Amino acid sequence: MPRPAETDVKERLYRFLTDEGEERSCDAISEEACVESPGNFFASILSGAFSKVAEQIASPGTTLPYLLASIGRPPPSVGPWCR
């Protein structure tokens, strides 16, 4: 359960980033869901960021040059993968 101060910081940062202001579209959802919206917003952003980092780490353009260099392959065999 988030502390009130954390919720207030999330709410203010959410309002600043989304510029939604007072006319928040909470008419179609319950008040509980409306309160959870800022937390879900930031969870979604973090999920997307970590997903992109994981894609970069696992991509062949990142891992193949590292693996080839670690087994002592000469630079010409590593070069084409570094683009």
Side-chain angles (χ1 to χ4, degrees):
M1 185 82 185
R3 290 177 269 167
E6 289 176 356
T7 305
D8 187 42
V9 170
K10 278 185 199 175
E11 181 71 29
R12 286 188 290 148
L13 188 58
Y14 176 75
R15 284 185 182 179
F16 176 75
L17 290 175
T18 60
D19 195 29
E20 225 176 46
E22 293 300 319
E23 62 250 3
R24 234 165 122 183
S25 58
C26 289
D27 298 335
I29 58 176
S30 69
E31 183 61 31
E32 292 174 1
C34 189
V35 170
E36 294 297 322
S37 185
N40 292 341
F41 175 77
F42 291 114
S44 179
I45 288 175
L46 283 175
S47 172
F50 286 133
S51 177
K52 285 306 227 182
V53 168
E55 287 175 8
Q56 283 297 318
I57 290 172
S59 74
T62 304
T63 55
L64 286 177
Y66 174 77
L67 291 174
L68 290 173
S70 69
I71 61 172
R73 295 294 298 184
S77 66
V78 176
W81 297 100
C82 293
R83 291 184 205 167

